Amino acid sequence: MSSKILIIGACGQIGTELTIKLREIHGVDNVIASDINTRNLDLVNAGPFVILDAKNFNAIKDCCINHKIDTVYLMAALLSATGEKYPMEAWDLNMNSLFHVLNLAKSKQIKKVFWPSSIAVFGPSTPRTQTPQHTICEPTTVYGITKQVGERWCEYYHEKYGVDVRSIRYPGIISHKAMPGGGTTDYAVEIYHEAIKEGKYESFLSENTHLPMMFMDDAIKATTEIMAANSEHLSIRSSYNLSAISFSPKEIAESIQAEMPNFKITFKPDFRQAIADSWPSSIDDSVARKDWNWSHDFNLHTMTKVMLRELAKTYKS
């Protein structure tokens, strides 16, 4: 029997494509998409959808009961750059939504939880190159703090209550299907859009700022694979390091120029530069590769080809 899945925050950048993939795997009617509004009409009209506030415990509980949900993907969050503008709202949404879902799993209302963490858990004191799975985590953003605390609670609920919660630390995610939602790594999506529309881009990060990144297809692959993995093979119940590629604004611009020689880039770092400077430049994800055979498919060159091709189609239509 296929799982009955609820995706909270389905209209976000990752949630949108995760919903599509999970419906391919489990069937459209077995995946309930939810968000606080109906702004993504394509997703709303593509299958079962409910309006759901991730901060409302009773609403989440009722939805799980009414739809016989056994698995929840909690994708709702205020991201790094937005969280710095609205710190209390970020804490409220990011933490309380997690407690709601963990407590539903603790009471056996649901069986399995996916909750995404982030490279934002790391900070200036973290080793920047090949950041290990177990290391110093002293985040400097509200978003990073909520993810670090969330990781500890996930492990606690697993150890104390047997909750089957699974998590990965997403790097920056790059997609041509959904716009980013207020993160520091957003430049790596915006640059492709501006390349197609304007032939130029002004980066809010400096040219040699290396950050861990991942094409959306790989992020969705990692998410579905960890949820399908044998529970006994998972040694990490806080959150797994996850890695694919690492590059700078200068390097991504050069990859675009290989396809579009006239593309121009300029650099005007803003407040997001300090956030990026506190994060790793590359990640050691050997534990994930060992425990559940994680591997990525896309490098910078292949990702750039897909992004430019697909965005050209989008803007032409």
Side-chain angles (χ1 to χ4, degrees):
M1 188 174 73
S2 188
S3 294
K4 290 283 286 187
I5 294 168
L6 172 65
I7 305 174
I8 301 174
C11 289
Q13 184 195 22
I14 300 175
T16 298
E17 298 195 42
L18 180 61
T19 301
I20 294 169
K21 186 63 177 180
L22 289 175
R23 284 175 172 168
E24 290 177 4
I25 296 171
H26 299 280
V28 172
D29 293 336
N30 289 320
V31 179
I32 312 299
S34 73
D35 212 302
I36 198 167
N37 59 48
T38 57
R39 66 182 184 274
N40 187 335
L41 289 177
D42 289 340
L43 186 73
V44 170
N45 295 326
F49 182 90
V50 295
I51 295 177
L52 193 62
D53 183 351
K55 295 181 291 184
N56 188 327
F57 174 77
N58 288 327
I60 297 172
K61 180 180 179 181
D62 290 345
C63 183
C64 289
I65 292 172
N66 292 339
H67 293 279
K68 297 181 172 61
I69 299 298
D70 58 54
T71 302
V72 172
Y73 290 74
L74 176 56
M75 310 306 293
L78 278 186
L79 302 182
S80 58
T82 306
E84 292 306 284
K85 296 177 182 177
Y86 309 104
M88 291 301 98
E89 288 88 341
W91 177 264
D92 186 20
L93 171 60
N94 296 3
M95 293 312 307
N96 285 323
S97 61
L98 176 59
F99 279 124
H100 295 338
V101 174
L102 289 176
N103 283 325
L104 285 173
K106 175 187 172 184
S107 65
K108 310 302 181 186
Q109 185 66 59
I110 56 178
K111 296 178 181 178
K112 191 186 293 187
V113 174
F114 177 81
W115 173 79
S117 188
S118 164
I119 59 169
V121 299
F122 303 123
S125 55
T126 303
R128 285 185 57 80
T129 304
Q130 287 299 103
T131 301
Q133 175 67 54
H134 301 287
T135 189
I136 299 169
C137 293
E138 295 180 333
T140 58
T141 64
V142 176
Y143 178 64
I145 292 168
T146 64
K147 291 302 183 182
Q148 182 198 31
V149 174
E151 287 189 13
R152 305 273 38 91
W153 278 113
C154 286
E155 187 169 71
Y156 183 88
Y157 269 72
H158 175 73
E159 294 296 330
K160 297 290 184 179
Y161 309 122
V163 170
D164 187 357
V165 57
R166 306 175 183 207
S167 178
I168 49 183
R169 292 168 176 159
Y170 285 128
I173 305 297
I174 301 170
S175 168
H176 57 82
K177 293 181 182 177
M179 291 298 290
T184 301
T185 56
D186 286 357
Y187 90 87
V189 179
E190 293 173 356
I191 191 171
Y192 290 111
H193 284 267
E194 294 304 308
I196 296 297
K197 290 192 298 180
E198 304 292 339
K200 61 182 180 179
Y201 179 66
E202 182 175 88
S203 172
F204 55 74
L205 297 182
S206 63
E207 62 179 332
N208 292 317
T209 303
H210 282 79
L211 288 171
M213 298 283 188
M214 179 173 288
F215 190 47
M216 179 65 82
D217 290 25
D218 278 333
I220 299 302
K221 175 187 175 186
T223 306
T224 57
E225 285 183 349
I226 192 174
M227 290 299 278
N230 188 320
S231 179
E232 296 177 357
H233 294 165
L234 302 179
S235 64
I236 303 295
R237 292 298 185 148
S238 51
S239 192
Y240 278 94
N241 273 5
L242 194 72
S243 180
I245 48 182
S246 181
F247 53 79
S248 66
K250 180 181 178 181
E251 289 170 340
I252 194 173
E254 289 171 349
S255 77
I256 293 172
Q257 288 164 345
E259 307 294 325
M260 301 174 61
N262 294 325
F263 174 74
K264 305 293 184 185
I265 186 168
T266 54
F267 303 93
K268 189 178 181 180
D270 65 12
F271 75 98
R272 288 166 284 195
Q273 183 66 48
I275 298 175
D277 288 342
S278 74
W279 290 352
S281 59
S282 58
I283 299 289
D284 177 359
D285 63 355
S286 55
V287 180
R289 292 176 187 268
K290 173 179 172 289
D291 283 5
W292 41 281
N293 297 318
W294 157 247
S295 65
H296 65 282
D297 295 327
F298 288 84
N299 59 32
L300 176 57
H301 176 67
T302 54
M303 179 182 71
T304 292
K305 279 184 170 293
V306 174
M307 287 292 292
L308 294 176
R309 182 186 70 228
E310 295 303 318
L311 286 175
K313 292 179 186 175
T314 299
Y315 285 107
K316 187 176 182 180
S317 64

